[in-house]
Structures are given as C-alpha cells and as structure tokens.
Amino acid sequence: MATYNKRGYKTPKEKEVKDVVEDVIIDEKDSTTAEVFSKLDETASKTEDFVAKNQKVIIGFVGAVALFTVGYLAFQKFISEPKQNEAADEMFVAQQNFEKATNGVASDSLYKLSLNGSEGKFGFIKIADEYSGTDAGNLANYYAGIAFLNTGKYAEAIDYLSKFSSDDMILSALAKGAIGDAHSQKNEQEEALSFYVKAAESNKNDFTTPRFLLKAGKTALALGKKEEALKFFTDIKDNYDTTPEAASVDVLIGLAQ
C-alpha cells in the first residue's frame, strides 16, 4: 500500500537535523554558564557589601599588623641587637675569670670576681639582671649558677640555674645536673635524684647521659632504692659500655642486686 507526503512537506536532510541538535546542546551549555556567572556575581556582591560595611575594621586590622611588624623590626634593629652586643662586651672579663677559676687558678676568688665584676665590667649577677631577655643575660644565669655551686652557695646556684634555658641539649643537661649537685650538697637527695634523672633523659649522648645515670644510680642506692639504682647502672652497662662511667659499673650493679 502506497504512502504519500502532505503537499509542501520535505524530509529534512541529515545535516539539518544535526545542526538543530547541536543548537539545542549549545543553548543548554549557555544556560548553565549563565547560572554559574550569576552565582559568582551574587557572591561578589555579598563580598563587596561585607567589605563596605566592615571597611573601618579591616583597615584597622591591616594597620595594626603593619604597625606590629614595623615595631618588631625596629625593636630588633635599634634595641635588641645593640643590647645583645653590649651584654656580650660586658661579659667578656667575667668569662675570663670564670675560665681561670675552672682551671684551678685561685678558684674561689676568681669565681667571686666573675660573679661580682672586675676591671670596670659587670659580673654575671649584674649581667643576668641588667640584660635579662638577651642571650648573654640568659647565659649569665648559667655561669652564675655554676660559680655559686663551686663556692658553696647552693641555694643561689639552684636559683640561677633554674632561670637558665637553652636549645643546646648538652648545656641544658649540664644545668639540670648541676641543680642536682646543689640539692645533693644540701642533703636533699630526693630532689637531687629527680634532677639527675631529668639530666640523663634530656638528651641521649655518650657524654652527659652516663654521667648523670651514674649519679642517679648512686643517689638511688643511698636512698635504699636498689631496684631503681640497678636500672640506672644496667643502662650504663648495656648502652654506654665504652664510657668511663662503665668502668666501675659492675661493682655497683652487685651492690644494687
């Protein structure tokens, strides 16, 4: 049975159909893009409103940050650095006296000179006070603590050593151990043991660790804490067997068992 097209009707060509489909797709993409831009415009508008409403606060905050930065840099340049240099210059003579005392040359009098000053220069006590907050002032606390320890002023030694802090793990361990020594000299053995343990544990190395493990072990043994003492002595034997402290540790292990 034959079929007929209505008059005037033409079957669309394949290319024309394809163009129509592409036109539809493009229109959909344009619609999505327009929606995205609309949302972006809306967000931007809200941001502008926020900035407009809080302009004084934002400007004030930025200004405060800028002022702090400028102030900090100025402090470092014109106050902190000159003060550091001045403190280091003041401490030179005190350090010389301290080193001579450590080498055993008229030690008591030289330690006192290092503490109180000589030749028109400050001693460690004055430097620690006048230049507090500087590296030199901090280091003066350590020197003063050791000088007091070596002249029998144990309470003063604890006071100054407790003020000292350092990122140098060896020096930090030595300061803690020296506080332990001061407590030991005051017959405060529990406190001494606590600081010897802190010194031993603050930085594991072949210099300070076995030294303070040995002191901790001997102090624990004197306190009747044999089990704790055995732990310290065994640590030396197992992990620091090439150090001088290991030479007599077997005898101490026998006493602790």
Side-chain angles (χ1 to χ4, degrees), residues 106-176:
S107 58
D108 279 359
S109 59
L110 285 169
Y111 275 131
K112 289 175 182 176
L113 285 176
S114 74
L115 285 165
N116 301 311
S118 63
E119 300 178 33
K121 296 293 184 181
F122 290 162
F124 295 130
I125 295 173
K126 192 76 171 178
I127 293 167
D129 181 47
E130 292 287 325
Y131 299 98
S132 175
T134 68
D135 291 339
N138 180 47
L139 190 58
N141 283 315
Y142 176 80
Y143 278 122
I146 299 298
F148 275 125
L149 179 64
N150 282 285
T151 52
K153 305 288 186 180
Y154 304 122
E156 290 86 344
I158 293 170
D159 181 43
Y160 277 92
L161 288 167
S162 296
K163 295 175 185 176
F164 172 72
S165 63
S166 176
D167 292 331
D168 185 312
M169 298 307 294
I170 298 292
L171 206 56
S172 180
L174 288 173
K176 289 181 177 68

Side-chain angles (χ1 to χ4, degrees), residues 15 40 43 55 113 117 138 146 155 162 208 219 227 233:
K15 185 177 183 303
L40 287 174
T43 302
Q55 189 172 11
L113 285 176
N138 180 47
I146 299 298
S162 296
T208 61
T219 304
E227 187 176 343
F233 297 143

Side-chain angles (χ1 to χ4, degrees), residues 199-212:
E201 293 179 348
S202 65
N203 178 41
K204 301 290 184 180
N205 63 81
D206 288 346
F207 173 54
T208 61
T209 305
R211 175 179 180 175
F212 294 118

